[in-house]
Amino acid sequence: MAETPTVYVTREIPDAGVEQLREQYDVVVWDEKLPPEKSHVESRLRELDADGLLCMLSDEVDADVLDASPDLSVVSTFSVGYDHVDLEAAAERDIAVGHTPGVLTETTADLAWTLLMACARRTVEAHEYVEAGEWETWGPTLMMGADVHDATLGIVGLGSIGTATARRGAGFGMDVLYTGRQRKPEREAELEELGVEATYVELDELLAESDFVSLHVPLVEETEGLIGEAELQQMSEDAILVNTARGEVVDTDALDTALEEEWIARAGLDVTDPEPLPADHQLMRHAPEKLVVVPHIGSSSVATRSRIAEMAAANVEAGIEGEELPNSALGDAGLE
Ligand code: NAP
Ligand code: GLV
């Protein structure tokens, strides 16, 4: 009788995903709070002769990991972003790679808006003010922030999450500027139906004209450091930058200077470089007055994380069974 395939899961994920896998496979889960070292992932894959790897965005999956088990047929990441997986190396080895597009779009857009609103209306700073017992009276100039309604929202990368973030601007009467590699007439039409006028512009114009700039591009060579010193200087001194894409899309030192020298008003970050961001990192000296940071929780709602688990498990199953993956990162990256 053929051996039961083995799947290595690099963190505890919502039950739905693991239960789905346990019905058919031997499943081994790394159950520590911190992620396993890369060398540990390699040795576990080797010892287990693993057929599948269900990994997180915090795991680097390079050629060494892919070569650890000769039986490895699929890597499935518990994320839509796949910048941590060496796709070329996987394609060369005929190892399928799955990811989870779509399912987390709305939840991540909600978080982009959470940061946008928190920065605009200084809610974290205001909460800390109350907590510190400084609220002695109503103040005519207390915690004056920026209006969100009728403002201009700049979307860098009008893909799934960028569009969902722009769509939310309808309720606030916002105009939307967007940029990317190409104009997106279908996305413009979708937004127009909601009363949002979305205009394609070059990045320079978007930075100069937007009250809020929200980043939604994947991390690839061309987007690494996309927002650096020159770009931050192009923004208005009242503008707010929101990053729910990847930390490396923004040059951290440049952002630090921009906040220090008040080239921009505030920034809201779900993703950072480095990640995790240590509490004593120089950037944190701006919090909470100019900076709101949350620990990469964009897709973290109970329902969405459960669905991500199921999708990631479905990708593992398809890979092990030799079927086409429901959501192939290799396909989406044009490598199939
Ligand atoms: P998507 O639908 O593929 O959208 C990506 C957008 O970026 C598209 O508009 C794409 O436009 C543009 N783009 C791609 N490559 C580009 C390049 N080289 N230069 C400029 N623009 C480029 O992806 P999504 O689902 O919206 O996710 C976007 C990213 O958000 C993910 O890759 C991930 O890194 C991040 N994310 C973060 C969280 C979180 O928890 N904070 C959650 C989910 C996703 P064209 O290809 O047409 O140019
Ligand atoms: C989260 O960052 C993801 O890429 O899913």
Side-chain angles (χ1 to χ4, degrees):
M1 206 172 78
E3 261 182 52
T4 305
T6 304
V7 180
Y8 185 53
V9 183
T10 61
R11 298 294 279 285
E12 283 185 331
I13 60 172
D15 290 345
V18 178
E19 279 162 16
Q20 194 175 321
L21 290 172
R22 282 202 207 283
E23 282 171 18
Q24 305 180 65
Y25 310 123
D26 288 334
V27 181
V28 177
V29 180
W30 170 263
D31 59 4
E32 305 279 330
K33 183 173 176 229
L34 295 180
E37 298 283 340
K38 186 166 86 73
S39 57
H40 184 85
V41 175
E42 285 170 41
S43 55
R44 286 309 272 150
L45 290 172
R46 194 173 304 116
E47 287 157 13
L48 296 166
D49 276 331
D51 300 84
L53 170 65
L54 199 162
C55 69
M56 309 299 127
L57 55 81
S58 45
D59 300 311
E60 185 190 353
V61 180
D62 62 7
D64 294 335
V65 173
L66 296 169
D67 285 335
S69 163
D71 291 344
L72 192 69
S73 58
V74 59
V75 171
S76 169
T77 184
F78 186 88
S79 60
V80 64
Y82 43 73
D83 46 277
H84 54 296
V85 181
D86 186 338
L87 293 189
E88 271 93 13
E92 276 164 22
R93 288 158 178 77
D94 217 10
I95 295 175
V97 181
H99 71 140
T100 64
V103 67
L104 41 60
T105 296
E106 300 300 330
T107 303
T108 307
D110 287 348
L111 200 269
W113 266 84
T114 305
L115 290 169
L116 186 158
M117 296 291 280
C119 287
R121 299 306 304 272
R122 304 170 59 179
T123 54
V124 178
E125 188 188 345
H127 175 86
E128 289 195 1
Y129 177 87
V130 176
E131 201 172 46
E134 291 177 44
W135 187 17
E136 291 175 336
T137 180
W138 179 85
T141 59
L142 183 62
M143 299 274 165
M144 293 191 293
D147 277 330
V148 177
H149 66 270
D150 296 341
T152 299
L153 173 61
I155 300 283
V156 180
L158 194 70
S160 306
I161 301 170
T163 305
T165 302
R167 213 188 307 121
R168 284 156 175 72
F172 289 82
M174 290 175 120
D175 284 332
V176 169
L177 301 177
Y178 75 95
T179 194
R181 293 181 294 190
Q182 65 238 342
R183 222 190 117 190
K184 305 272 179 97
E186 283 166 26
R187 302 275 192 194
E188 285 178 26
E190 180 189 334
L191 289 165
E192 196 174 352
E193 277 192 22
L194 297 170
V196 177
E197 192 184 339
T199 310
Y200 179 77
V201 292
E202 294 297 327
L203 179 62
D204 291 5
E205 188 178 341
L206 180 144
L207 294 170
E209 300 296 328
S210 299
D211 301 300
F212 300 93
V213 173
S214 193
L215 307 177
H216 299 287
V217 287
L219 176 61
V220 289
E221 219 177 301
E222 307 88 76
T223 60
E224 186 168 353
L226 183 71
I227 305 298
E229 204 171 298
E231 290 72 26
L232 289 159
Q233 275 179 335
Q234 283 164 4
M235 290 174 67
S236 145
E237 60 188 22
D238 296 322
I240 286 167
L241 176 71
V242 173
N243 188 8
T244 58
R246 282 291 181 267
E248 294 87 341
V249 174
V250 177
D251 178 329
T252 300
D253 289 339
L255 177 61
D256 185 41
T257 309
L259 294 173
E260 181 65 30
E261 299 189 1
E262 305 192 341
W263 301 345
I264 65 171
R266 283 182 283 280
L269 309 177
D270 179 43
V271 290
T272 58
D273 176 25
E275 190 169 311
L277 190 71
D280 60 358
H281 190 278
Q282 56 172 5
L283 204 54
M284 287 303 288
R285 75 184 190 283
H286 305 293
E289 289 82 4
K290 294 181 186 171
L291 180 71
V292 174
V293 188
V294 294
H296 204 151
I297 54 169
S299 66
S300 193
S301 73
V302 175
T304 294
R305 285 280 167 93
S306 284
R307 281 194 231 114
I308 294 173
E310 287 165 4
M311 268 176 95
N315 280 330
V316 171
E317 277 170 27
I320 291 179
E321 304 309 322
E323 293 161 6
E324 198 178 314
L325 265 50
N327 290 284
S328 167
L330 293 178
D332 288 348
L335 289 171
E336 257 175 10

